[in-house]
Amino acid sequence: MRTLRRKLGYGLLGGAAGLLAMELVKRVTAPLVKRRAPEPAGEVLTARSSISMIGRHHGSDESATDALGRILYENLVGRAPSPATQRKLSWAVHIGYGLVAASLYGAIRGGRDRGGAGTVIGGALFGAGLWLLGDELVVPLLGLSEKPTSYPVTSHLQSLAQHLGFGVATAAATGALLDGHRPRR
């Protein structure tokens, strides 16, 4: 049990490094991303804009983390959050999800000695999997975003790059912590 807690903790610390890398990639790639055209005022989105079977749960300019933070807040407090509170909630959802995913990565990675290219490849696969399953599939299915084809390709590429940065940095930091804690033979 102590080993599992240590792996979860190292994954958590690795996730903090991954979140920093993700934010850096976002800032570097932001000028390259073409933004989606704003929706005309008063226009109702049709079913064609969504793949969700449970309905649309986000506002027109709301990210998935904005929407999820708002939904949780409204269910707990009974009213909509202020814009400042919603920004904080969005960050909390983003950071919380990233740290939970990274902790699980630390537990699953175990004590396998990959090092070098194995860490980079494993981290890239981890990040790409989070992007594909999370951003491209689960988030739209939950109605927290429009269907993937509603966004420009550059937006998807930026998100993929961010998730690759997150995965590689998480894997490298988690691996370094796990490898540094192994008993010497």
Side-chain angles (χ1 to χ4, degrees):
M1 189 62 158
R2 183 184 306 162
T3 302
L4 177 60
R5 281 195 309 261
R6 185 175 61 241
K7 291 176 187 177
L8 288 167
Y10 288 164
L12 185 76
L13 293 171
L19 287 167
L20 287 172
M22 188 175 209
E23 184 62 25
L24 288 173
V25 171
K26 179 181 180 179
R27 290 178 186 203
V28 167
T29 59
L32 306 173
V33 177
K34 178 182 174 189
R35 293 290 167 209
R36 185 169 69 146
E39 298 164 8
E43 186 169 311
V44 177
L45 292 174
T46 65
R48 293 187 318 239
S49 66
S50 177
I51 61 172
S52 175
M53 301 299 280
I54 59 173
R56 186 173 195 249
H57 298 288
H58 65 93
S60 60
D61 288 331
E62 244 182 355
S63 70
T65 56
D66 289 343
L68 189 54
R70 176 188 46 77
I71 290 165
L72 293 171
Y73 186 88
E74 287 173 349
N75 284 316
L76 285 171
V77 178
R79 61 181 164 78
S82 69
T85 299
Q86 188 164 359
R87 279 190 300 280
K88 292 173 186 166
L89 291 166
S90 180
W91 271 103
V93 167
H94 178 71
I95 291 168
Y97 176 75
L99 293 178
V100 166
S103 289
L104 294 175
Y105 173 82
I108 292 169
R109 182 184 185 275
R112 289 183 239 136
D113 185 14
R114 291 187 194 160
T119 297
V120 172
I121 292 168
L125 289 172
F126 171 58
L130 287 174
W131 170 77
L132 183 62
L133 294 173
D135 274 18
E136 300 293 311
L137 185 63
V138 173
V139 166
L141 285 173
L142 291 175
L144 297 172
S145 75
E146 300 303 324
K147 64 183 178 180
T149 57
S150 297
Y151 301 94
V153 171
T154 55
S155 179
H156 295 283
L157 293 174
Q158 180 191 37
S159 181
L160 175 59
Q162 287 177 254
H163 283 84
L164 290 172
F166 172 79
V168 171
T170 298
T174 303
L177 290 166
L178 285 168
D179 294 344
H181 191 271
R182 284 208 183 87
R184 305 267 187 238
R185 292 180 199 204

